[in-house]
Amino acid sequence: MKKKLYILLAVSAFMLGTSSCSDFLDEENKVGETADLTYSTASGLQGLVASCYSYSRGWYGKEAGLGLSEMGSDLFLYGYDNKQKSLTSYNVSAISLDNNTADNASLDHYWELFYSAVDVCNTALYYIPLNTAINETIRSQYMGEAHFLRAFYYFHMVNLWGAIPYNGERQTAIVTDPTRTPEEVIYSNILTDLDNSISEFQTAGYMTKADGRAHYWAAKALKARVLLYAASWLGKNSITTNTAYAGKDLHALAQAEAEAVIGGSGASFYSNYEDTWSMNNEEIANNNEAIWGVTYSQDLKTPVNCIPKRNRTDTSGNQMDYNTLITRTGYTRGGSTMLLMFVSLWNNGASDLGGNGKEVFVRPLNEGSYYVTNTKTGENVYVADHYSPYGRGFTRYLPSAYLWQLLEKNRATDQRTDATLLSAYTIAKGLEGSSTKYPLMQDTAIYYCPLNGDSPEGRAMQAWAKDRYRIQFLHGGDIPVFSSGDPATALPTEAAKPISDIYGDNRYNSANIGGWCSYPGIKKFLDNVFNPEYPTHDISYRDAIVFRLAEMYLIKAECQIETEGGTQAMATINELRKVRAINGKDNTLSGSATIETILEERAIELCGEQQRWFDLKRTHTLVDRVKKYNPQGSGQIKDVHYLRPIPQAQIDAVTNYSATEAEGMFWQNTGY
């Protein structure tokens, strides 16, 4: 008998295991009450709307969602124990791996999670108009939220899988013969939802961000992104089903929405780009640049931080768990894992830093202490506040040579390079001179240099660093991060040079010093506030910013290439670059902007923010840029990879499967 992964479930299933999305709501599961009774009350309906948000935590700030949105692009490569290597190497298949965490794209779990989220939104849209316990203002607000979130989830699905089943009504029975709706129709329905959302928010006067809820400007920002995606992927006049958009230039419409958000949302830039990412500004509601995002409570143990259980049950009838690539810490604690994903091995792989790294670094949870003893003075130095930047016991993502070189190209004029790239690991004050292998170490322990280590300048720097710190070069030298300086062939090295005694003291004695374990990280997601309860920071309460002001400028500029020309587009890009400039430096670009200019600027501004794979997909540049800049995937990528495979569990579940695309049937995407 076939195992079935049901994409459409009865409403009663959603009464179990749901969690609210933030401190502003906390749904209490109702046992023994019908949905009609529960959702006729103000509190029951409030909990239902809260449940619409909870599924977003399974994607934003989570390892598996990050893999599907950043890996396999031009910006990031996999580290030695990445759990989704198949996404970068383009060996991904339709096989449903369920709870496997060795190498799992988690597409089967996301298919289930997103359709579960949609059905909760559909349920909310059914019950909100029926509820007489709320006033009209709250009704309009709730309708705006539910329309926004349904559009939000469908937007992710259509960009992953292309044509998919579309459900606009709550499901009261299992559907075994779904049909795949064309992408244009999905986009048309998304735009209808967003227009309804904008109208409802306007009626409710719900115009400003608060407590992580969607609002008027969030819907406008999502609409700008949706219109841009449809224009670049399907074509600027591609919408026909939605009569409000039929025949209209989607680039012009996207530009207008972006301009409206820029001018009306109240979002503003920080003069210091690092402040955008400071934990002091991590709350969406208090971040000047954030428009909307996915919120996490500072109390990591609160159920409101966790996603719902699966609606699929085991043989005993218990709801199953999503795999740990999605939940990270399971269902007892929830939060963002972004701080874990872009840093190198916690002790950096070799004993050159002393005692497996313990002379200058520490992992408090394992050591049972937040102190490191200075080998020279004998002083116990408190280092817990300095732990977070020093990596993990695993390595998931490293910046590609292309991204590293792109950021370095702008270092002299642009704040974003230093605020993004973790180029050096420093020691805690009080550990000066403690490293026995680097007796002159004062602050820097490791420096990642963007030069060729075999160049005269590189050799001079290596000689200077000998007794001061470890230096690793982009390529060349004694410890290269990459095998080449050409991004097309620059693979992370998997070991130091095969010599055991570079300096005559056997300091490099571990294969883990290779580039796939030790590399410059991305630091904008790191916690810069120490949490005594969780000193190893295995998960963070940082909110995940989904829409922010800078993206609106980039959307506007990309649209201007089509509507007004490259010169005007470059003027908009330079507005953003002026804000990001180092004080007193000219950070502007000259010439006429092209899509290459846009993609470079989006890389500098948005790297790691769960958009890059979709940017390359929608601009039809994925195959070309992976071949140019991602040697882990360049040999395997093909045009079929513009869409992800439908999970095999779903294929097995349907009764109307067809081996080829046919109207009214359900088929697998080409190539899988």
Side-chain angles (χ1 to χ4, degrees):
M1 186 173 184
K2 294 179 180 178
K3 293 182 179 180
K4 295 188 177 183
L5 175 58
Y6 299 128
I7 63 171
L8 311 171
L9 299 115
V11 170
S12 59
F14 293 95
M15 294 298 294
L16 303 174
T18 51
S19 316
S20 60
C21 83
S22 183
D23 287 337
F24 68 84
L25 291 172
D26 188 7
E27 179 183 9
E28 177 185 354
N29 291 332
K30 307 298 189 293
V31 179
E33 297 181 33
T34 66
D36 289 348
L37 177 59
T38 300
Y39 300 144
S40 68
T41 67
S43 62
L45 192 65
Q46 182 186 51
L48 177 60
V49 175
S51 295
C52 295
Y53 287 88
S54 59
Y55 296 88
S56 63
R57 280 181 191 72
W59 181 268
Y60 284 95
K62 293 303 191 295
E63 181 172 354
L66 185 64
L68 283 162
S69 53
E70 290 287 346
M71 282 190 71
S73 72
D74 51 352
L75 302 188
F76 294 102
L77 306 180
Y78 59 72
Y80 86 101
D81 62 350
N82 186 286
K83 302 301 183 184
Q84 296 182 294
K85 292 178 181 176
S86 58
L87 290 175
T88 287
S89 63
Y90 285 93
N91 289 314
V92 66
S93 74
I95 296 172
S96 296
L97 295 171
D98 207 29
N99 285 315
N100 176 291
T101 56
D103 186 357
N104 188 354
S106 300
L107 286 164
D108 52 341
H109 281 211
Y110 278 124
W111 183 274
E112 180 179 348
L113 182 143
F114 282 134
Y115 273 108
S116 296
V118 162
D119 204 57
V120 175
C121 294
N122 286 337
T123 302
L125 289 167
Y126 175 82
Y127 279 105
I128 293 167
L130 301 178
N131 188 296
T132 60
I134 58 174
N135 63 40
E136 291 304 316
T137 298
I138 294 297
R139 189 186 319 281
S140 290
Q141 178 191 322
Y142 284 177
M143 289 293 286
E145 291 177 84
H147 278 297
F148 171 89
L149 288 165
R150 183 170 68 179
F152 183 68
Y153 294 125
Y154 270 124
F155 179 64
H156 288 73
M157 288 191 284
V158 74
N159 279 286
L160 285 168
W161 291 293
I164 51 172
Y166 185 87
N167 307 312
E169 305 290 337
R170 68 188 184 112
Q171 298 299 307
T172 57
I174 294 170
V175 176
T176 59
D177 59 345
T179 58
R180 296 184 63 178
T181 302
E183 290 174 272
E184 184 276 326
V185 178
I186 302 291
Y187 270 100
S188 288
N189 292 341
I190 290 170
L191 288 168
T192 296
D193 262 339
L194 289 174
D195 285 338
N196 287 334
S197 177
I198 290 165
S199 177
E200 295 285 6
F201 282 137
Q202 196 164 25
T203 298
Y206 205 69
M207 310 292 284
T208 58
K209 59 186 178 183
D211 298 326
R213 287 182 180 272
H215 52 86
Y216 177 86
W217 293 111
K220 297 281 276 186
L222 176 55
K223 186 178 176 183
R225 189 187 287 184
V226 168
L227 287 165
L228 175 69
Y229 273 49
S232 56
W233 175 244
L234 299 178
K236 68 177 184 178
N237 303 118
S238 59
I239 299 299
T240 58
T241 306
N242 188 325
T243 57
Y245 296 89
K248 293 186 177 179
D249 184 341
L250 301 185
H251 282 115
L253 296 178
Q255 180 179 333
E257 294 295 342
E259 288 172 342
V261 176
I262 291 168
S265 67
S268 61
F269 291 114
Y270 291 101
S271 58
N272 182 0
Y273 176 66
E274 284 189 338
D275 289 342
T276 306
W277 304 105
S278 169
M279 286 298 284
N280 295 323
N281 302 318
E282 62 83 23
E283 291 185 13
I284 298 294
N286 297 326
N287 188 293
N288 292 351
E289 188 171 326
I291 297 166
W292 182 78
V294 175
T295 59
Y296 291 102
S297 168
Q298 288 193 27
D299 180 3
L300 298 175
K301 293 181 179 179
T302 181
V304 304
N305 268 6
C306 300
I307 64 173
K309 292 260 191 175
R310 296 173 66 183
N311 289 288
R312 197 174 186 182
T313 58
D314 60 21
T315 54
S316 300
N318 300 312
Q319 285 180 283
M320 298 172 68
D321 295 347
Y322 288 102
N323 72 45
T324 55
L325 296 180
I326 294 176
T327 65
R328 177 61 188 175
T329 52
Y331 293 85
T332 59
R333 290 192 298 128
S336 172
T337 65
M338 296 294 280
L339 77 168
L340 312 173
M341 296 292 106
F342 299 103
V343 289
S344 59
L345 203 64
W346 76 269
N347 62 7
N348 288 280
S351 63
D352 66 310
L353 299 175
N356 202 26
K358 297 172 196 169
E359 284 181 7
V360 292
F361 297 139
V362 66
R363 191 178 186 193
L365 188 64
N366 281 4
E367 301 304 318
S369 169
Y370 304 151
Y371 294 87
V372 170
T373 302
N374 188 311
T375 61
K376 181 183 292 185
T377 66
E379 176 188 2
N380 288 326
V381 178
Y382 183 74
V383 296
D385 288 348
H386 300 266
Y387 169 71
S388 183
Y390 297 141
R392 309 294 153 189
F394 49 82
T395 55
R396 297 296 196 251
Y397 299 90
L398 67 152
S400 65
Y402 165 71
L403 177 57
W404 189 358
Q405 290 169 334
L406 180 62
L407 288 168
E408 290 293 346
K409 183 175 74 172
N410 290 270
R411 181 179 288 279
T413 63
D414 200 310
Q415 297 180 46
R416 291 173 294 185
T417 298
D418 189 58
T420 301
L421 200 63
L422 187 62
S423 299
Y425 288 157
T426 57
I427 62 175
K429 186 175 178 57
L431 290 177
E432 297 85 355
S434 181
S435 176
T436 55
K437 300 293 178 67
Y438 300 96
L440 300 181
M441 183 181 288
Q442 292 299 303
D443 48 17
T444 301
I446 306 171
Y447 170 52
Y448 297 100
C449 178
L451 298 177
N452 176 356
D454 291 329
S455 67
E457 185 180 5
R459 283 297 175 190
M461 292 185 69
Q462 186 162 290
W464 163 261
K466 175 182 176 182
D467 291 325
R468 291 176 171 84
Y469 49 81
R470 183 204 299 169
I471 187 169
Q472 295 183 233
F473 294 94
L474 189 146
H475 67 110
D478 288 331
I479 321 176
V481 174
F482 291 105
S483 60
S484 163
D486 177 1
T489 60
L491 286 164
T493 56
E494 298 182 9
K497 284 189 174 182
I499 47 178
S500 62
D501 194 0
I502 295 173
Y503 289 130
D505 54 16
N506 195 32
R507 67 180 64 183
Y508 301 126
N509 62 354
S510 171
N512 288 341
I513 204 170
W516 69 343
C517 286
S518 184
Y519 47 79
I522 301 297
K523 66 182 180 182
K524 63 184 180 180
F525 305 113
L526 294 177
D527 280 13
N528 57 4
V529 177
F530 178 59
N531 185 341
E533 187 174 1
Y534 304 113
T536 55
H537 293 81
D538 66 339
I539 201 163
S540 172
Y541 59 80
R542 176 190 290 276
D543 289 351
I545 301 175
V546 178
F547 303 112
R548 58 188 180 92
L549 183 60
E551 184 193 354
M552 298 299 109
Y553 278 84
L554 292 167
I555 289 175
K556 177 183 176 181
E558 186 173 342
C559 292
Q560 284 177 307
I561 292 176
E562 301 295 330
T563 62
E564 300 176 38
T567 301
Q568 282 300 110
M570 188 65 86
T572 299
I573 289 172
N574 282 333
E575 287 184 59
L576 176 60
R577 289 184 66 92
K578 288 174 184 177
V579 173
R580 301 307 193 207
I582 294 171
N583 190 33
K585 300 292 185 179
D586 181 3
N587 194 39
T588 58
L589 302 175
S590 59
S592 179
T594 65
I595 193 62
E596 178 75 16
T597 317
I598 296 292
L599 289 174
E600 285 201 359
E601 199 64 26
R602 289 181 73 92
I604 296 166
E605 180 70 42
L606 302 173
C607 62
E609 295 180 45
Q610 298 192 237
Q611 294 200 56
R612 189 60 174 189
W613 188 87
F614 296 110
D615 280 342
L616 301 189
K617 175 257 177 86
R618 67 175 177 81
T619 56
H620 302 268
T621 59
L622 178 66
V623 172
D624 179 61
R625 291 185 73 88
V626 168
K627 287 183 179 294
K628 286 182 179 179
Y629 303 125
N630 186 338
Q632 289 177 335
S634 59
Q636 295 79 243
I637 192 167
K638 297 177 288 187
D639 284 345
V640 298
H641 294 122
Y642 277 98
L643 296 176
R644 304 299 195 180
I646 304 293
Q648 188 62 42
Q650 178 60 39
I651 298 293
D652 293 342
V654 303
T655 58
N656 62 333
Y657 175 72
S658 172
T660 58
E661 181 177 345
E663 186 175 353
M665 302 298 286
F666 198 91
W667 67 93
Q668 178 59 274
N669 283 332
T670 302
Y672 299 105

